[in-house]
Structures are given as structure tokens and as C-alpha cells.
């Protein structure tokens, strides 16, 4: 609970700094690497680096190297909500915990060909590499909300389009309500015919459910599927493969959705009443596109 309160305070501080931020519209080219969605950027020294685009991060974070000479506001005292020494994101499902250097406002942050001015960010000491690519930061929903519409398209050439308006009456698309819960984009639906709460996470290669969701939905583990995986932190964690499930979000039905069973830290930050299902990029690659309409609080799914 303490960690949740600290993160909520961080988000409140940084959202206050972006309330009047400049709108950004355009197209961002993405690269899919090891199941992650990455967008290219340039480090202060001129070298190429990448941002991980992550819907399950409410506040964008950058490495100290990416912040460069920008003034970083240090942690002031134990009363400062940022005084907690580490910052946890949901990146990679099991997350990334990194030392917080402070917070900063970047005059210009260029990601995937788009420019975001006056970007209030958390500054982390360092970031790990993904697929051998140096990571400059984690691009969160605070930057997506510089536009009214965030449209992800998948396939061989994934991209992100930030728009001011959504197309109406798109044939084959399904619109359903979404909510922002503690900064996470979520939608209600069912799994195996039972109530479930879906968390959209473009920062996770795989989709996960905790044991409480297994019990609530009648899901089951595949016998002999226990395996150890290495997280971005370099830690080894144990997961199991779940039997493929039938998922409904709005009026869209999806059969044989692949899932893993794992106690992700993000699950503990959600309301106790929730039955969480984290949908990662193994789910999104089944879509032509997924659109998030922030003013209307709707998500539009376009299956292949």
C-alpha cells in the first residue's frame, strides 16, 4: 500500500506539470523487438537509442544519460513523494525497478519522429537494453494524452498515430468503454464467461493472470508448463502457462487467447475487487489496430 501511495503522489505531481502541455499530432514509427514496441530517439551525444512505448506507465521516465544537461530536481527530504529511492514500472510484465535520480522538465523530447515539448518526466539512474538496443526511457500514457486519440496499428510495420479526431462507423471495429485506473488503461469484459478486468499493456511481450483470476474464471495451468524467465532486472521468476481462454471485451469475442500465470507487481496496485487480466503484445498482434479515445473514454478494437 505504501508503494501505491507513493506512485500516486508521483503521478499527481507530474500530471500537474503537463496539464497545459502542448498537443501533439502525427505518426510515430515503431519497431517490434523481443515482443516490445520501441520508438527511436537520439541521445544528447548523438547516438541512437530507443523508448519502450508502454500503456501501463502513467508517467514517462527517462535515463539520466538522456536527460543530459537538463536541470534535475533532486529529492528534497523524506516528505517528498519522490523520496522513495526506487521507481517501479510494469515494463516487461514483471516490471523494472530503477533508482530515482529526481524529476525534470525536458524542453524537447523527440520520440519516433514526433516532438513533445515541456515534458515532465521522472529521471532514473539507468535503463536496461532490450534486444541489444540501448533504452533511453519508457514512454507512458501522459504523452499519449497530448492527443485526443491514440491509434496503434500492428502487422509487419507497427506504428502509433496521435490524432485529434476518430473515424466514425468503422466496419468490423468494436467500441467499448474504458477507464483509467491509477493511470492504467482498463476495460471490463469476461474470460471463460466470467467477469474480468482487462489491463492493456503494450510494454509487456506476454499476457498474464494472477492466481485470483485463475480461481475466479475457472482457468487452469497447463501441466508441466512451469518455467523460469529472466526479467529486465535480471531476476529469475517462475511462471506457468495457462490454458488458452475465451475473452470478450465489449462485443468483441476472441478465442484461444494465450495467457501465463504470474503474480505481477502491477496486480497488487489494482482494487481488491478487480479480476485482472494483463493483455500484452501477444494479444495486440492479433489486432489490425487498437484505438484509445481519451475524451470519450472508449477503446476501439479492430480484429484481423
Amino acid at each position: 500500500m505504501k508503494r501505491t501511495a507513493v506512485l500516486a503522489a508521483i503521478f499527481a505531481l507530474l500530471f500537474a506539470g503537463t496539464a497545459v502541455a502542448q498537443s501533439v499530432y502525427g505518426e510515430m514509427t515503431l519497431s517490434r523487438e523481443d515482443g516490445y514496441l520501441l520508438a527511436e530517439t537520439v541521445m544528447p551525444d548523438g547516438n541512437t537509442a530507443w523508448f519502450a512505448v508502454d500503456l501501463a506507465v502513467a508517467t514517462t521516465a527517462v535515463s539520466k544519460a538522456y536527460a543530459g544537461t537538463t536541470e534535475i530536481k533532486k529529492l528534497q527530504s523524506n516528505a517528498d513523494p519522490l523520496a522513495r529511492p526506487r521507481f517501479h514500472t510494469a515494463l516487461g510484465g514483471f516490471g523494472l525497478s530503477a533508482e530515482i535520480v529526481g524529476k525534470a522538465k525536458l524542453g524537447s523530447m523527440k520520440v519516433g519522429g514526433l516532438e513533445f515539448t515541456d515534458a515532465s518526466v521522472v529521471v532514473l539512474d539507468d535503463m536496461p537494453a532490450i534486444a541489444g538496443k540501448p533504452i533511453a526511457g519508457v514512454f507512458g500514457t501522459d504523452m499519449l494524452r497530448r492527443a485526443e486519440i491514440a491509434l496503434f496499428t500492428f502487422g509487419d510495420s507497427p506504428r502509433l498515430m496521435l490524432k485529434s479526431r476518430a473515424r466514425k462507423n468503422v466496419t468490423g471495429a468494436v467500441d467499448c468503454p474504458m477507464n483509467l485506473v491509477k493511470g492504467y488503461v482498463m476495460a471490463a469484459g469476461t474470460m471463460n464467461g466470467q467477469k474480468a478486468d482487462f489491463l492493456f499493456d503494450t510494454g509487456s511481450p506476454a499476457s498474464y493472470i494472477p492466481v485470483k483470476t485463475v480461481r475466479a474464471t475457472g482457468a487452469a495451468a497447463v501441466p508441466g508448463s512451469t518455467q523460469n524467465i529472466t526479467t529486465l532486472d535480471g531476476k529469475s521468476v517462475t511462471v506457468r502457462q495457462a490454458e488458452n481462454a475465451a475473452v470478450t471485451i465489449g462485443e468483441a469475442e476472441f478465442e484461444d487467447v494465450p495467457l501465463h500465470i504470474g503474480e505481477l507487481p502491477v496486480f497488487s496496485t489494482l482494487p481488491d475487487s478487480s479480476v485482472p487480466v494483463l493483455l500484452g503484445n501477444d494479444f495486440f498482434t492479433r489486432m489490425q489496430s487498437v484505438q484509445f479515445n481519451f475524451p470519450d473514454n472508449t477503446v476501439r478494437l479492430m480484429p484481423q
Side-chain angles (χ1 to χ4, degrees), residues 104-152:
K105 177 170 283 190
L106 304 181
S108 175
M109 188 174 73
K110 295 182 179 179
V111 182
L114 298 182
E115 182 176 10
F116 299 81
T117 59
D118 296 327
S120 295
V121 298
V122 172
V123 181
L124 307 180
D125 184 56
D126 199 8
M127 294 288 295
I130 293 177
K133 294 182 179 295
I135 300 300
V138 184
F139 185 90
T141 54
D142 55 338
M143 295 300 144
L144 295 180
R145 296 181 71 186
R146 293 284 186 102
E148 289 76 11
I149 309 296
L151 173 63
F152 288 85

Side-chain angles (χ1 to χ4, degrees), residues 117-194:
T117 59
D118 296 327
S120 295
V121 298
V122 172
V123 181
L124 307 180
D125 184 56
D126 199 8
M127 294 288 295
I130 293 177
K133 294 182 179 295
I135 300 300
V138 184
F139 185 90
T141 54
D142 55 338
M143 295 300 144
L144 295 180
R145 296 181 71 186
R146 293 284 186 102
E148 289 76 11
I149 309 296
L151 173 63
F152 288 85
T153 61
F154 300 95
D156 294 335
S157 301
R159 56 182 178 165
L160 166 63
M161 287 183 284
L162 300 181
K163 304 162 58 178
S164 60
R165 294 182 181 179
R167 290 177 56 195
K168 296 182 179 180
N169 303 321
V170 177
T171 303
V174 177
D175 291 337
C176 59
M178 73 176 188
N179 295 302
L180 288 178
V181 180
K182 296 184 178 179
Y184 304 124
V185 179
M186 301 190 70
T190 66
M191 192 175 87
N192 294 335
Q194 304 299 315

Side-chain angles (χ1 to χ4, degrees), residues 190-277:
T190 66
M191 192 175 87
N192 294 335
Q194 304 299 315
K195 172 189 177 296
D197 301 289
F198 296 96
L199 189 158
F200 297 98
D201 185 4
T202 57
S204 177
S207 300
Y208 289 93
I209 54 175
V211 170
K212 68 177 287 188
T213 298
V214 172
R215 294 169 177 165
T217 63
V222 174
S225 65
T226 300
Q227 60 178 314
N228 291 324
I229 63 173
T230 302
T231 70
L232 289 175
D233 282 340
K235 300 175 182 177
S236 178
V237 296
T238 301
V239 301
R240 291 177 292 167
Q241 182 181 344
E243 294 180 350
N244 289 358
V247 163
T248 299
I249 305 174
E251 297 180 358
E253 299 180 359
F254 306 96
E255 299 293 333
D256 297 326
V257 175
L259 297 166
H260 292 81
I261 302 171
E263 298 299 331
L264 309 188
V266 66
F267 292 146
S268 66
T269 70
L270 301 176
D272 291 339
S273 60
S274 67
V275 182
V277 179

Side-chain angles (χ1 to χ4, degrees), residues 37-45 47-53 60-68 91 96 98 106 109-112 121-130 132-140:
L37 292 178
L38 306 182
E40 189 172 337
T41 190
V42 178
M43 298 293 287
D45 62 6
N47 288 325
T48 298
W50 303 80
F51 273 83
V53 180
T60 294
V62 305
S63 68
K64 181 172 63 175
Y66 184 81
L91 187 65
L96 168 70
L106 304 181
M109 188 174 73
K110 295 182 179 179
V111 182
V121 298
V122 172
V123 181
L124 307 180
D125 184 56
D126 199 8
M127 294 288 295
I130 293 177
K133 294 182 179 295
I135 300 300
V138 184
F139 185 90

